[in-house]
Amino acid sequence: MIPQNFKDILSNTENAGFYQTLALIFFMLFFVALIIYVFSRPKKHYQEEENAPLEDDEDEFDSKN
């Protein structure tokens, strides 16, 4: 039988539950680390991005035409 997808490969292994748990832990660690990184940045870092939708970008349009 040829496995049709990744789920079939993992479900037929002996340690399928362990691999699923390990994948969940890695995902959660990455997600928590990303949240910590975002909130640890100073607010000045995000100030330029915060005002980006409100700024006029006429200079960029003039240089392209």
Side-chain angles (χ1 to χ4, degrees):
M1 179 179 143
I2 299 173
Q4 297 298 320
N5 56 23
F6 191 67
K7 181 180 174 185
D8 291 338
I9 295 169
L10 276 183
S11 65
N12 293 331
T13 62
E14 187 175 312
N15 298 324
F18 172 72
Y19 294 139
Q20 292 170 357
T21 305
L22 193 62
L24 179 65
I25 290 171
F26 282 144
F27 171 76
M28 293 301 294
L29 287 175
F30 175 77
F31 184 73
V32 168
L34 185 65
I35 294 295
I36 290 170
Y37 173 75
V38 168
F39 282 109
S40 68
R41 302 293 297 182
K43 288 190 177 189
K44 290 180 182 180
H45 178 76
Y46 298 110
Q47 196 167 28
E48 184 177 325
E49 288 81 5
E50 179 181 292
N51 296 326
L54 303 175
E55 294 177 359
D56 287 333
D57 292 335
E58 292 179 11
D59 295 336
E60 291 181 18
F61 292 124
D62 290 339
S63 63
K64 290 180 183 177
N65 292 334

